Amino acid sequence: MTQEIPANAEQQPAISLRGVTKRYGKLQALSDVSFDIRQGEFFGLLGPNGAGKSTLISALAGLIRVNSGHISILGADVEKDYRRARMNLGVVPQEIVMDPFFTVRETLEFQSGYFGLRNNGKWIDELLEQLGLNDKADSNMRKLSGGMKRRVLIAQALVHKPKVLVLDEPTAGVDVELRQSMWRFVRRLHKEGHTIVLTTHYLEEAEELCDRIAIIDKGKLLALETKQDLLARGLGSKLLVRASHSIETIPPQYLDRVTRLAGNEVELTIHRDSDSIMQILDGLRAASISIEYVSVLNDSLEDVFIRMTGEQSGVRA
Amino acid sequence: MNWIATYTLLSKEVTRWRKVWLQTVLAPVVTALLYLLVFGHVLEGRVEVFPGVSYTEFLIPGLLMMAVIQNAFANTSSSMIQSKVMGSIVFILLPPFSALEMFLAFIGAAILRGLAVGVGVFLLAYFYVGVSIENIFVILAFAVLGSYVMAALGLIAGMWAEKFDQIASFQSFLIVPLTFLSGVFYSITSLPPFWYQMSKANPFFYMIDGFRYGFFGQSDQPVLLSLAVMLSASVVLTLGCVLMLKSGYKLRDA
Ligand SMILES: Nc1ncnc2c1ncn2[C@@H]1O[C@H](COP(=O)(O)OP(=O)(O)OP(=O)(O)O)[C@@H](O)[C@H]1O
Ligand SMILES: [Mg+2]
């Protein structure tokens, strides 16, 4: 199978979304979503349940038709040029699905054939090895545990060595050991030049792995930034101050920064770029607070995420 | 056309029924044999449809065709609805299949199952009653066309249905009545005029009538007419299936 590569293939975004809108009846699952994922990125797609992450993935995989907008994979439109788009895309669906008639190896061999590949045995062996499925190769799909079925799904998404790999919550319900070996494998693919797109509800995972992160909620893109920018975004960090006595009064210019005041401790939000911590501390001292201990608490991705999507979730806010 | 992809999907669909051949091939052969034994025994000697042809002999082509087409239908419809319900449909929606490639693979596998059942029934009938063959090419042509048409119909039913029982209704309210009223057990010339005309409007009738011609060299209607009906049905259903697959009707919009 020969693949035509346009002259400017290098500069093409791995995934490009322009004005993508999807409605289910009255529900707006995606509204006017536009952004690019660059080649070679490790990209995180975050958002609460029902945000539209899986809908977005289905749209770019051609599993659903969007109401308006355009999506392309490495420059190939997912509808008009679907062959080239799909040859370059591997998708691990969120739901565990399998064909109960076949063994693991048969499943992978058929999947290779669907992409026009014959004699893909060597790569299949490697996938089985890397995903720890060697001793299950000839087991029927029905007899695998949930985590193993998930590994087969990953292998299936990779049979044709797609340049762009999209994983929709691949670590849900997966044990710690597998999660680590899975990430080792995905990192290796990333190092070898594959573009990786990941959705997850484990924010530490995204924080650890992703270069850039998009946050979507209710079908809208809320933010798309590098992890560093996102972490430093807006409210930034907190300043924890402990006094040698219980704190009674706070200088009025700092009042709206106070997030917590309890006994001899006060917590203030600070803008890392624009604030001078020394100035704030001087201000507190001037109000005759004798400072005993100071600490700067950096926001985790979870804090940022909750702040951005938190209003409606209520649970943790 | 990506032939490797098409062939792979075809062989996956064949493997699917081959792995459970007891249920997909042997069971329908046994059913056809039971019909043959019971009806043949009860009606033998009482009914003569074509001169010089015993009733049991007359029955064989109809039963054979019925088994062939029901299994062709069952194969595409159950494969489609099952992979939709179980979600494994994504494995064929994600690769770069064209509508035509998907169509050919599904239909091909269903025809092969229809023919496998047909060969089974034929062999049993051959040793049990003895079967005369007038024109093997006509027999093959109608077996292939009949299962093609029914496989395409099954594919449409499978794409349209959202639950298994919708397929079952399709089968019991459309396929089975049309098959039974198509002259499997009798010649439609023996019917009152109104029902005779009605039968001629039943496309299934031409399937069985033309098929029967291959065995006896005799039929109710000219064999070329039956062939023309079957070919037209094939063209229409092919277009219908390919357009549905292309639009992603109930497949890419669920
Ligand atoms: N086939 C469908 N029909 C109707 N509504 C749908 C369909 N699929 C998704 N939705 C709705 O679209 C919205 C987005 O769903 P989606 O599955 O994309 O969310 P998600 O971000 O992947 O959530 P999660 O984190 O729970 O997987 C939800 O409100 C969901 O109920
Ligand atoms: Mg989801």
Side-chain angles (χ1 to χ4, degrees):
Chain A
M1 169 115 207
T2 56
Q3 262 179 266
E4 289 166 46
I5 297 165
N8 57 347
E10 290 301 306
Q11 298 97 294
Q12 294 284 5
I15 296 174
S16 159
L17 300 136
R18 286 291 169 275
V20 175
T21 296
K22 175 69 186 176
R23 285 181 293 272
Y24 288 113
K26 278 195 180 145
L27 183 98
Q28 191 85 16
L30 292 174
S31 40
D32 195 19
V33 175
S34 302
F35 64 91
D36 284 352
I37 297 174
R38 296 178 208 121
Q39 284 188 50
E41 269 193 305
F42 206 127
F43 192 93
L45 189 58
L46 306 184
N49 288 137
K53 305 179 296 294
S54 298
T55 305
L56 189 77
I57 290 171
S58 296
L60 60 90
L63 292 175
I64 56 166
R65 299 261 146 93
V66 296
N67 296 102
S68 60
H70 295 280
I71 307 175
S72 57
I73 313 290
L74 290 165
D77 187 276
V78 297
E79 284 196 29
K80 287 190 212 83
D81 198 359
Y82 69 91
R83 285 206 194 245
R84 211 156 55 78
R86 289 191 211 157
M87 281 307 288
N88 283 318
L89 185 68
V91 176
V92 182
Q94 177 175 3
E95 303 288 332
I96 291 185
V97 287
M98 50 123 197
D99 204 325
F101 286 89
F102 306 113
T103 67
V104 173
R105 189 182 290 279
E106 282 172 328
T107 300
L108 297 178
E109 277 166 358
F110 284 132
Q111 204 66 24
S112 306
Y114 297 165
F115 284 91
L117 303 169
R118 240 195 312 223
N119 310 323
N120 201 22
K122 253 180 97 179
W123 177 235
I124 290 177
D125 284 340
E126 187 169 346
L127 285 173
L128 290 171
E129 168 82 45
Q130 289 289 337
L131 290 161
L133 286 166
N134 262 339
D135 49 342
K136 297 286 170 191
D138 298 310
S139 305
N140 187 287
M141 288 298 300
R142 256 180 319 209
K143 299 197 175 135
L144 301 189
S145 73
M148 285 170 182
K149 286 181 192 141
R150 168 113 29 218
R151 294 186 228 186
V152 178
L153 279 179
I154 298 174
Q156 269 177 285
L158 286 167
V159 286
H160 58 299
K161 300 192 181 162
K163 295 213 181 73
V164 182
L165 177 65
V166 181
L167 303 127
D168 197 351
E169 284 183 47
T171 44
V174 159
D175 70 35
V176 183
E177 197 186 334
L178 170 61
R179 197 179 299 179
Q180 276 168 0
S181 70
M182 217 174 75
W183 289 136
R184 226 176 295 127
F185 184 47
V186 172
R187 270 192 162 130
R188 192 192 108 189
L189 292 168
H190 179 238
K191 272 211 190 74
E192 289 169 1
H194 295 259
T195 307
I196 312 285
V197 180
L198 162 74
T199 82
T200 177
H201 288 291
Y202 299 106
L203 297 179
E204 325 81 70
E205 220 165 65
E207 192 170 338
E208 191 185 324
L209 294 160
C210 299
D211 310 325
R212 282 205 309 158
I213 287 168
I215 296 183
I216 64 172
D217 191 16
K218 298 184 183 123
K220 291 203 184 72
L221 182 68
L222 295 186
L224 198 179
E225 285 165 53
T226 63
K227 178 175 55 193
Q228 290 76 13
D229 286 351
L230 202 56
L231 288 174
R233 191 184 161 101
L235 302 161
S237 343
K238 287 195 196 85
L239 183 68
L240 171 74
V241 177
R242 193 187 302 147
S244 54
H245 50 87
S246 94
I247 301 170
E248 306 297 339
T249 49
I250 300 285
Q253 71 267 34
Y254 300 135
L255 265 180
D256 52 353
R257 294 170 180 269
V258 176
T259 56
R260 194 166 69 87
L261 174 61
N264 60 344
E265 280 187 6
V266 61
E267 231 174 64
L268 304 149
T269 55
I270 50 170
H271 298 266
R272 263 185 293 193
D273 296 333
S274 53
D275 282 334
S276 154
I277 292 177
M278 292 321 282
Q279 214 169 19
I280 295 175
L281 293 179
D282 286 344
L284 292 175
R285 264 193 222 104
S288 58
I289 294 171
S290 87
I291 297 169
E292 192 182 74
Y293 173 81
V294 171
S295 153
V296 177
L297 310 164
N298 282 325
D299 271 5
S300 70
L301 190 55
E302 186 153 335
D303 296 315
V304 177
F305 179 82
I306 288 170
R307 212 169 287 138
M308 294 190 71
T309 63
E311 284 81 57
Q312 88 297 332
S313 70
V315 191
R316 288 142 125 181
Chain B
M1 272 304 275
N2 187 332
W3 291 107
I4 296 177
T6 313
Y7 175 77
T8 307
L9 184 54
L10 174 88
S11 56
K12 178 234 152 191
E13 285 295 304
V14 170
T15 312
R16 192 181 161 280
W17 64 255
R18 229 171 19 89
K19 281 204 174 182
V20 284
W21 67 277
L22 270 177
Q23 178 197 333
T24 53
V25 179
L26 193 62
V29 169
V30 170
T31 308
L33 182 71
L34 286 175
Y35 272 115
L36 194 64
L37 289 174
V38 173
F39 282 87
H41 176 72
V42 173
L43 296 172
E44 182 74 53
R46 292 187 213 179
V47 190
E48 190 184 56
V49 187
F50 293 142
V53 177
S54 77
Y55 181 70
T56 312
E57 274 180 88
F58 170 82
L59 202 53
I60 289 168
L63 284 178
L64 225 171
M65 192 55 148
M66 197 164 85
V68 169
I69 63 178
Q70 282 184 352
N71 282 282
F73 179 89
N75 206 66
T76 41
S77 58
S78 66
S79 176
M80 193 41 99
I81 189 69
Q82 189 168 42
S83 50
K84 266 169 50 169
V85 169
M86 304 206 14
S88 55
I89 188 90
V90 296
F91 301 139
I92 58 173
L93 294 179
L94 288 172
F97 281 113
S98 72
L100 185 64
E101 289 164 354
M102 257 193 226
F103 173 76
L104 291 177
F106 271 94
I107 299 299
I111 293 178
L112 289 174
R113 169 158 159 206
L115 295 182
V117 172
V119 168
V121 176
F122 180 87
L123 288 178
L124 277 177
Y126 187 82
F127 290 113
Y128 171 63
V129 200
V131 185
S132 65
I133 292 177
E134 178 74 20
N135 187 334
I136 185 75
F137 297 108
V138 171
I139 293 176
L140 281 176
F142 275 86
V144 170
L145 278 172
S147 43
Y148 184 101
V149 163
M150 294 301 286
L153 213 54
L155 194 59
I156 290 175
M159 282 190 275
W160 161 80
E162 277 149 27
K163 292 176 278 183
F164 285 97
D165 48 343
Q166 287 173 316
I167 295 285
S169 333
F170 208 93
Q171 244 159 343
S172 18
F173 295 117
L174 194 73
I175 309 296
V176 173
L178 285 179
T179 329
F180 271 77
L181 299 174
S182 66
V184 174
F185 299 105
Y186 52 86
S187 164
I188 63 162
T189 45
S190 62
L191 294 174
F194 173 75
W195 290 107
Y196 176 70
Q197 292 305 328
M198 287 297 286
S199 298
K200 285 211 291 181
N202 176 0
F204 287 47
F205 159 72
Y206 297 91
M207 225 183 266
I208 286 175
D209 198 50
F211 191 58
R212 202 174 270 143
Y213 178 89
F215 289 86
F216 308 123
Q218 309 179 53
S219 51
D220 285 316
Q221 295 292 313
V223 67
L224 284 178
L225 174 65
S226 299
L227 193 65
V229 171
M230 294 308 293
L231 285 171
S232 321
S234 309
V235 171
V236 170
L237 288 168
T238 303
L239 283 176
C241 281
V242 171
L243 287 178
M244 272 173 92
L245 285 167
K246 213 175 206 127
S247 76
Y249 175 77
K250 289 201 179 180
L251 294 181
R252 293 190 196 273
D253 234 9

